[in-house]
Amino acid sequence: MPYLEIDNKKAYYSGNKNRKGIPLLFCHGSGGGHHHWHYQFKALPPPANPLAVDLPGHGRSEGAALDDISLYRDWIHRFSKALEIQNFILAGHSMGGAIALAYILQYPEEVRGLILVGTGARLRVLPAFLEELRQHNVPETMLEYLYAPDAPEELVNLGHREMENTDPAVYLADLTACDNFDIRENLHQIEVPGLIICGSEDRLTPVKYSRFLKEKLPQRRLEIIDGAGHMVMLEKPEAVNRAITQFVEEVLI
Ligand code: COA
């Protein structure tokens, strides 16, 4: 199993770093793991070489979840160095998108493209979510916000199980990191090509957040995926994979 050692702790990722192609490093969102990119892994054709990380305290990675996007940003930096990938495409969902945006602002030379899925330049969190998490409860309503109303039942049930099995402290750290994130004034500094993807029914990071990214990022394309919610890459993988494949080809030109 592919593990690296970061800060003397095991860090898990899926994929094969030695495979030829353009490394595409996928970063999951709050309380998630590499499995959130399951359908991208299965289907993205070469030259994309998908690699998906478990952030510290998530999935199979050791350590504790972090409560600041800049801490995750720098952890991913150490991770990419240990992985020995260069000139890669950085993809992030929700909190992972915030990490990707923070990364490109701090380390602009290292990334050749950004894929921003269900995310935004500011990620305020409903105070009621944070309040419940401080009481060590994962808010039930969060699940309702994750998927579009007609998302497959099986997917929603899986999401439910994942939430039940995730320590509320992990969500609290992640959502605190999101709540304090705001780089709206810095977007114009980003020069690399970007693909922005959002489900039309996303209630956690509504389409207006993605439209804002599109307006402010110099080289970007926006794909609004009809009928999908916040977990768009799991809900509508074919449409998401089509958009990513086309973007990877464009970045290569
Ligand atoms: N991109 C662009 N504009 C943004 C933005 C983003 N990512 N985030 C906020 N803004 C803008 C809003 O459009 C709004 O502008 P307006 O006054 O011109 O309409 C302004 O900033 C204030 O934002 P808003 O989100 O309405 O802040 P608020 O303090 O009034 O409300 C919440 C806070 C938490 C209720 C609200 O942000 C929300 O419902 N968030 C989604 C739920 C959630 O918890 N998401 C988790 C994200 S990980």
Side-chain angles (χ1 to χ4, degrees):
M1 284 215 194
Y3 282 98
L4 296 173
E5 193 150 303
I6 311 291
D7 308 333
N8 297 319
K9 297 201 163 54
K10 277 185 173 179
Y12 178 82
Y13 69 98
S14 61
N16 176 0
K17 69 171 184 151
N18 296 319
R19 209 176 85 175
K20 273 196 164 178
I22 303 184
L24 237 124
L25 182 56
F26 285 102
C27 220
H28 60 79
S30 301
H34 68 279
H35 55 282
H36 282 184
W37 303 103
H38 175 77
Y39 294 113
Q40 284 61 56
F41 248 82
K42 293 251 157 195
L44 284 180
N49 179 21
L51 303 159
V53 65
D54 280 344
L55 289 167
H58 297 73
R60 298 173 188 161
S61 286
E62 293 178 344
L66 306 171
D67 63 2
D68 197 293
I69 295 297
S70 62
L71 296 176
Y72 278 129
R73 172 198 71 197
D74 293 341
W75 188 92
I76 285 287
H77 187 239
R78 293 193 290 283
F79 178 85
S80 73
K81 294 290 163 212
L83 199 57
E84 297 174 320
I85 51 168
Q86 278 148 13
N87 217 6
F88 55 97
I89 295 176
L90 187 53
H93 172 241
S94 198
M95 178 182 78
I99 298 169
L101 284 164
Y103 194 102
I104 188 78
L105 286 167
Q106 187 72 17
Y107 308 107
E109 309 301 325
E110 297 179 12
V111 176
R112 68 195 285 183
L114 276 182
I115 300 176
L116 302 168
V117 184
T119 192
R122 179 190 186 217
L123 293 177
R124 280 291 309 281
V125 175
L126 277 172
F129 286 173
L130 293 169
E131 200 40 55
E132 234 184 303
L133 287 165
R134 282 188 201 105
Q135 313 295 324
H136 312 288
N137 298 321
V138 176
E140 280 279 322
T141 42
M142 223 158 80
L143 190 70
E144 288 163 30
Y145 277 68
L146 280 177
Y147 299 93
D150 57 356
E153 204 182 321
E154 196 186 326
L155 199 59
V156 179
N157 289 341
L158 270 174
H160 204 173
R161 275 212 293 285
E162 178 179 311
M163 276 177 125
E164 281 175 349
N165 293 327
T166 301
D167 184 344
V170 171
Y171 281 116
L172 181 60
D174 288 354
L175 291 180
T176 300
C178 289
D179 199 43
N180 293 318
F181 176 72
D182 185 357
I183 50 109
R184 284 175 296 172
E185 299 300 320
N186 308 94
L187 287 174
H188 66 278
Q189 297 166 20
I190 297 175
E191 287 173 1
V192 298
L195 168 66
I196 304 153
I197 297 176
C198 186
S200 63
E201 311 304 312
D202 191 331
R203 292 174 67 195
L204 281 178
T205 51
V207 170
K208 77 170 174 186
Y209 291 6
S210 286
R211 288 200 198 285
F212 184 85
L213 289 173
K214 181 182 181 207
E215 218 175 275
K216 302 284 176 183
L217 289 173
Q219 296 185 61
R220 71 288 174 264
R221 167 197 292 261
L222 170 63
E223 296 279 348
I224 297 173
I225 311 286
D226 211 29
H230 188 59
M231 302 307 287
V232 55
M233 66 288 188
L234 288 167
E235 293 175 59
K236 301 275 179 187
E238 295 85 6
V240 168
N241 290 346
R242 238 187 337 267
I244 294 179
T245 303
Q246 193 180 348
F247 177 70
V248 172
E249 282 165 5
E250 279 172 13
V251 167
L252 269 183
I253 295 167

